[in-house]
Amino acid sequence: MYLCKKLLFVNTVLSFKQINKLAIPALIAGIAEPLLSITDTAIIGNINSNATESLAAVGIVGAFISMLIWVFGQIRSAISSIISQYVGANKLEEVRTLPAQAIAIVVIGSLLVLTISYPFAKEIFQFYNAADSVLEYCITYFKIRIFGFPFSLFVFAVFGTFRGLQNTFYPMVIAIIGALLNIVLDILLVYGIEGFIPAMNIEGAAYASVFAQITMAVIALILLKKKTSISLKLSFKLHKEIPNLLNMIGNLFIRTIALNTALFFATSYATGYGKEYIAAYTIGLNLWLLGAFMIDGYSSAGNILSGKLLGAKDYKTLVELSKKLTQYGVISGLIIATFGFLFYNSIGGIFSKDPLVLEQFYNVFWILILTQPINVITFIFDGMFKGMGEMKYLRNVLILSTGLVFIPSLLFFDWLGYKLMAIWIAFTLWILARGIPLVLKFRKKFLPLVNS
């Protein structure tokens, strides 16, 4: 049975209900990965001994693994873009064998990364300025959690397939199960149960994440086979869209390297300031990413619908989509910011009881909150450009914004002695530098098509 029976067909006007039918499940699914990290952060930050060092290690390793996932997880956007455009052109049958080959490519790549990175864990995290007990905890945590990496990428590829089919419900189900399982396992394995399960501390958090990622992969495989007509049978004859897919992935790969260059500089500088700073940065980054992925629900809707509308050549509705997504996204960002300010003084205590860590966290938390509405514009248009297959332009914008805005800003404000404040000012300017060119490019390209 084809999922196309359930597809959201193009209308001249996209309603709030239609957009949210895709956006809300995508929002919930999108927070799965940051929720895995934020759960580790909260639970590790409250263990009885070496909490600050362990929390610092989780932040450093989380930054590196997030880099890997963002680099290779771009397969999700590439698959979604191609499939959604075929859906819009009413040619779904022509692309039903593509996902199996795409999944095989990304899984093989992830296994190579695991094989190469595992023996060099010490050197990797020394590169991030980790030392002494923090370095030892990094190595311990990484050498367990990296085994979840291939399963995460498999899930990302399946999510991309579902998104291309205009379905965000099943990814939401998978994400909810994975997140809940991770929370339960985190508590059981980190703290233990006297007489039954020994307390495993940071190792327990790593095992919890891996088990959750394996479970998500298994459920994703079952749903893809049972609920769609997508073939998982590999063919040695490459699908005609594979070169286009690889080109998209290549551009997104370079783009994500630039993105993670910014993340590396931020993490490295925070680590160099001291363990309290990297612990506070870890809390802040996980909260910032959680807010970003929550807003990203509307970005995902833009990704899914823009590809379909472009395939159908419905430019008027495409422009209308951009306006409505921006409106809904800004409202969501303001809600998140309001929540952050209302509970400002209690949020930090969820993750750490160390007064030195909390002092550094609260020095910058207000900036993280204020950036939430600002993030909206960038993320929404970023998602739409991915859906339309504009990967080369996205690549160029991110390279320039990282090289000409983020790094110079970080260096300048660090030179002024702002420390963590320097990092978050640089992130804010970086987001603006990424978003403004996308808005201008979109308007320049599509407004004339609507008016012609």
Side-chain angles (χ1 to χ4, degrees), residues 66-77:
S66 293
M67 180 271 289
L68 293 177
I69 290 174
W70 288 343
V71 168
F72 291 91
Q74 299 302 324
I75 187 101
R76 176 178 64 180
S77 297

Side-chain angles (χ1 to χ4, degrees), residues 208-248:
S209 294
V210 173
F211 291 150
Q213 289 161 334
I214 292 172
T215 301
M216 291 170 69
V218 171
I219 297 171
L221 176 63
I222 292 171
L223 288 176
L224 190 65
K225 290 186 66 175
K226 298 292 185 181
K227 299 298 183 179
T228 79
S229 65
I230 295 297
S231 174
L232 291 176
K233 184 178 179 181
L234 277 174
S235 170
F236 289 104
K237 182 181 179 182
L238 292 180
H239 190 279
K240 65 179 182 179
E241 287 289 350
I242 286 291
N244 185 28
L245 180 78
L246 293 176
N247 181 57
M248 287 186 182

Side-chain angles (χ1 to χ4, degrees), residues 5 47 61 79 108 138 170 174 180 184 194 200 205 221 225 255 271 276 313 330 370 384 387 421:
K5 293 180 180 179
I47 59 178
V61 175
I79 293 175
I108 291 171
C138 282
Y170 291 128
I174 296 165
L180 292 176
V184 172
E194 188 173 352
M200 300 173 69
L221 176 63
K225 290 186 66 175
R255 174 183 183 270
T271 304
E276 290 83 11
K313 298 182 179 180
V330 168
L370 289 178
M384 291 187 68
M421 187 77 74

Side-chain angles (χ1 to χ4, degrees), residues 40-232:
D40 287 355
T41 301
I43 291 177
I44 287 297
N46 285 282
I47 59 178
N48 294 326
S49 61
N50 301 316
T52 301
E53 290 83 356
S54 297
L55 184 57
V58 168
I60 296 167
V61 175
F64 180 69
I65 290 181
S66 293
M67 180 271 289
L68 293 177
I69 290 174
W70 288 343
V71 168
F72 291 91
Q74 299 302 324
I75 187 101
R76 176 178 64 180
S77 297
I79 293 175
S80 175
S81 174
I82 293 172
I83 293 178
S84 63
Q85 289 184 43
Y86 272 78
V87 167
N90 199 26
K91 297 178 180 179
L92 179 60
E93 182 64 25
E94 296 181 17
V95 79
R96 61 187 295 269
T97 60
L98 175 65
Q101 294 182 355
I103 289 170
I105 290 170
V106 75
V107 170
I108 291 171
S110 68
L111 291 173
L112 288 173
V113 169
L114 191 159
T115 303
I116 293 169
S117 64
Y118 187 90
F120 298 101
K122 181 178 180 180
E123 289 77 11
I124 289 170
F125 298 112
Q126 283 177 330
F127 189 61
Y128 277 81
N129 284 331
D132 303 324
S133 60
V134 172
L135 177 59
E136 293 302 317
Y137 283 128
C138 282
I139 295 169
T140 299
Y141 184 65
F142 174 76
K143 285 195 169 183
I144 299 170
R145 193 167 170 199
I146 190 61
F147 283 97
F149 179 59
F151 297 99
S152 286
L153 290 193
F154 175 84
V155 171
F156 267 55
V158 174
F159 280 12
T161 303
F162 277 121
R163 286 186 177 191
L165 293 168
Q166 315 292 284
N167 185 300
T168 56
F169 177 76
Y170 291 128
M172 178 189 71
V173 171
I174 296 165
I176 290 173
I177 293 172
L180 292 176
L181 179 62
N182 184 71
I183 292 170
V184 172
L185 290 176
D186 250 338
I187 295 170
L188 291 177
L189 299 180
V190 172
Y191 299 137
I193 299 177
E194 188 173 352
F196 292 95
I197 302 173
M200 300 173 69
N201 298 322
I202 194 170
E203 293 179 58
Y207 282 121
S209 294
V210 173
F211 291 150
Q213 289 161 334
I214 292 172
T215 301
M216 291 170 69
V218 171
I219 297 171
L221 176 63
I222 292 171
L223 288 176
L224 190 65
K225 290 186 66 175
K226 298 292 185 181
K227 299 298 183 179
T228 79
S229 65
I230 295 297
S231 174
L232 291 176

